[in-house]
mmCIF file of all heavy atoms in Angstrom:
data_model
loop_
_atom_site.group_PDB
_atom_site.id
_atom_site.type_symbol
_atom_site.label_atom_id
_atom_site.label_comp_id
_atom_site.label_asym_id
_atom_site.label_seq_id
_atom_site.Cartn_x
_atom_site.Cartn_y
_atom_site.Cartn_z
ATOM 1 N N TRP A 322 11.934 38.929 34.624
ATOM 2 C CA TRP A 322 10.573 39.516 34.195
ATOM 3 C C TRP A 322 10.844 40.672 33.268
ATOM 4 O O TRP A 322 10.002 41.102 32.454
ATOM 5 C CB TRP A 322 9.814 39.898 35.478
ATOM 6 C CG TRP A 322 10.467 40.954 36.370
ATOM 7 C CD1 TRP A 322 11.169 40.673 37.486
ATOM 8 C CD2 TRP A 322 10.440 42.323 36.192
ATOM 9 N NE1 TRP A 322 11.613 41.838 38.104
ATOM 10 C CE2 TRP A 322 11.169 42.937 37.364
ATOM 11 C CE3 TRP A 322 9.902 43.276 35.348
ATOM 12 C CZ2 TRP A 322 11.380 44.269 37.527
ATOM 13 C CZ3 TRP A 322 10.092 44.619 35.539
ATOM 14 C CH2 TRP A 322 10.734 45.135 36.691
ATOM 15 N N PHE A 323 12.026 41.389 33.401
ATOM 16 C CA PHE A 323 12.239 42.518 32.628
ATOM 17 C C PHE A 323 12.230 42.100 31.063
ATOM 18 O O PHE A 323 11.625 42.782 30.291
ATOM 19 C CB PHE A 323 13.590 43.157 32.949
ATOM 20 C CG PHE A 323 13.888 44.491 32.219
ATOM 21 C CD1 PHE A 323 13.465 45.618 33.022
ATOM 22 C CD2 PHE A 323 14.444 44.541 31.023
ATOM 23 C CE1 PHE A 323 13.676 46.867 32.259
ATOM 24 C CE2 PHE A 323 14.690 45.811 30.433
ATOM 25 C CZ PHE A 323 14.215 46.993 31.092
ATOM 26 N N SER A 324 12.928 41.026 30.806
ATOM 27 C CA SER A 324 12.965 40.657 29.402
ATOM 28 C C SER A 324 11.579 40.122 28.895
ATOM 29 O O SER A 324 11.254 40.256 27.663
ATOM 30 C CB SER A 324 14.099 39.658 29.145
ATOM 31 O OG SER A 324 13.873 38.485 29.845
ATOM 32 N N THR A 325 10.841 39.400 29.766
ATOM 33 C CA THR A 325 9.508 38.914 29.278
ATOM 34 C C THR A 325 8.712 40.146 28.941
ATOM 35 O O THR A 325 7.977 39.978 27.850
ATOM 36 C CB THR A 325 8.785 38.172 30.454
ATOM 37 O OG1 THR A 325 9.617 37.999 31.589
ATOM 38 C CG2 THR A 325 8.159 36.935 30.009
ATOM 39 N N TRP A 326 8.724 41.092 29.787
ATOM 40 C CA TRP A 326 7.850 42.249 29.424
ATOM 41 C C TRP A 326 8.363 43.113 28.265
ATOM 42 O O TRP A 326 7.687 43.800 27.553
ATOM 43 C CB TRP A 326 7.523 43.066 30.663
ATOM 44 C CG TRP A 326 6.596 42.442 31.463
ATOM 45 C CD1 TRP A 326 6.737 41.495 32.456
ATOM 46 C CD2 TRP A 326 5.080 42.444 31.350
ATOM 47 N NE1 TRP A 326 5.611 40.935 32.953
ATOM 48 C CE2 TRP A 326 4.553 41.539 32.296
ATOM 49 C CE3 TRP A 326 4.205 43.066 30.525
ATOM 50 C CZ2 TRP A 326 3.199 41.307 32.464
ATOM 51 C CZ3 TRP A 326 2.900 42.902 30.620
ATOM 52 C CH2 TRP A 326 2.386 41.980 31.515
ATOM 53 N N GLU A 327 9.729 43.079 28.075
ATOM 54 C CA GLU A 327 10.301 43.789 26.972
ATOM 55 C C GLU A 327 9.726 43.148 25.673
ATOM 56 O O GLU A 327 9.543 43.891 24.712
ATOM 57 C CB GLU A 327 11.883 43.561 27.014
ATOM 58 C CG GLU A 327 12.655 44.812 26.977
ATOM 59 C CD GLU A 327 14.099 44.538 26.955
ATOM 60 O OE1 GLU A 327 14.463 43.401 27.263
ATOM 61 O OE2 GLU A 327 14.870 45.481 26.623
ATOM 62 N N ASP A 328 9.559 41.838 25.622
ATOM 63 C CA ASP A 328 9.045 41.164 24.515
ATOM 64 C C ASP A 328 7.656 41.736 24.092
ATOM 65 O O ASP A 328 7.335 41.713 22.855
ATOM 66 C CB ASP A 328 8.930 39.679 24.692
ATOM 67 C CG ASP A 328 10.328 39.025 24.849
ATOM 68 O OD1 ASP A 328 11.308 39.662 24.476
ATOM 69 O OD2 ASP A 328 10.379 37.864 25.412
ATOM 70 N N THR A 329 6.840 42.132 25.067
ATOM 71 C CA THR A 329 5.520 42.610 24.684
ATOM 72 C C THR A 329 5.591 44.058 24.289
ATOM 73 O O THR A 329 4.602 44.639 23.850
ATOM 74 C CB THR A 329 4.627 42.570 25.951
ATOM 75 O OG1 THR A 329 5.146 43.497 26.936
ATOM 76 C CG2 THR A 329 4.500 41.167 26.509
ATOM 77 N N GLY A 330 6.706 44.678 24.418
ATOM 78 C CA GLY A 330 6.846 46.154 24.027
ATOM 79 C C GLY A 330 6.429 47.110 25.064
ATOM 80 O O GLY A 330 6.422 48.263 24.816
ATOM 81 N N LEU A 331 6.024 46.568 26.163
ATOM 82 C CA LEU A 331 5.523 47.484 27.230
ATOM 83 C C LEU A 331 6.569 48.044 28.111
ATOM 84 O O LEU A 331 6.473 48.970 28.794
ATOM 85 C CB LEU A 331 4.398 46.819 28.023
ATOM 86 C CG LEU A 331 3.226 46.415 27.198
ATOM 87 C CD1 LEU A 331 2.283 45.461 27.953
ATOM 88 C CD2 LEU A 331 2.452 47.642 26.819
ATOM 89 N N ILE A 332 7.823 47.459 28.041
ATOM 90 C CA ILE A 332 8.998 47.972 28.637
ATOM 91 C C ILE A 332 9.971 48.204 27.540
ATOM 92 O O ILE A 332 10.067 47.307 26.669
ATOM 93 C CB ILE A 332 9.585 47.044 29.732
ATOM 94 C CG1 ILE A 332 8.775 47.059 31.006
ATOM 95 C CG2 ILE A 332 11.051 47.468 30.050
ATOM 96 C CD1 ILE A 332 9.445 46.230 32.089
ATOM 97 N N HIS A 333 10.572 49.318 27.492
ATOM 98 C CA HIS A 333 11.574 49.484 26.460
ATOM 99 C C HIS A 333 12.828 50.112 26.961
ATOM 100 O O HIS A 333 12.838 51.155 27.576
ATOM 101 C CB HIS A 333 10.891 50.413 25.297
ATOM 102 C CG HIS A 333 11.817 50.704 24.197
ATOM 103 N ND1 HIS A 333 12.165 49.617 23.385
ATOM 104 C CD2 HIS A 333 12.402 51.738 23.684
ATOM 105 C CE1 HIS A 333 12.983 50.053 22.391
ATOM 106 N NE2 HIS A 333 13.146 51.370 22.660
ATOM 107 N N PHE A 334 13.987 49.558 26.580
ATOM 108 C CA PHE A 334 15.282 50.102 26.989
ATOM 109 C C PHE A 334 15.962 50.571 25.754
ATOM 110 O O PHE A 334 16.212 49.794 24.812
ATOM 111 C CB PHE A 334 16.077 48.984 27.731
ATOM 112 C CG PHE A 334 17.541 49.385 27.988
ATOM 113 C CD1 PHE A 334 17.802 50.504 28.706
ATOM 114 C CD2 PHE A 334 18.547 48.606 27.439
ATOM 115 C CE1 PHE A 334 19.159 50.849 28.913
ATOM 116 C CE2 PHE A 334 19.826 48.951 27.718
ATOM 117 C CZ PHE A 334 20.169 50.026 28.469
ATOM 118 N N ASP A 335 16.377 51.871 25.795
ATOM 119 C CA ASP A 335 17.102 52.440 24.648
ATOM 120 C C ASP A 335 18.323 52.937 25.135
ATOM 121 O O ASP A 335 18.469 53.994 25.769
ATOM 122 C CB ASP A 335 16.182 53.545 24.104
ATOM 123 C CG ASP A 335 16.845 54.337 22.996
ATOM 124 O OD1 ASP A 335 17.814 53.858 22.388
ATOM 125 O OD2 ASP A 335 16.293 55.464 22.728
ATOM 126 N N ASP A 336 19.412 52.287 24.820
ATOM 127 C CA ASP A 336 20.763 52.586 25.376
ATOM 128 C C ASP A 336 21.411 53.733 24.640
ATOM 129 O O ASP A 336 22.148 53.614 23.804
ATOM 130 C CB ASP A 336 21.677 51.354 25.325
ATOM 131 C CG ASP A 336 22.854 51.484 26.196
ATOM 132 O OD1 ASP A 336 22.925 52.488 26.930
ATOM 133 O OD2 ASP A 336 23.653 50.532 26.261
#
Side-chain angles (χ1 to χ4, degrees):
Chain A
W322 61 263
F323 190 90
S324 62
T325 350
W326 284 91
E327 232 181 347
D328 294 340
T329 66
L331 295 168
I332 285 185
H333 182 67
F334 170 58
D335 174 17
D336 197 1

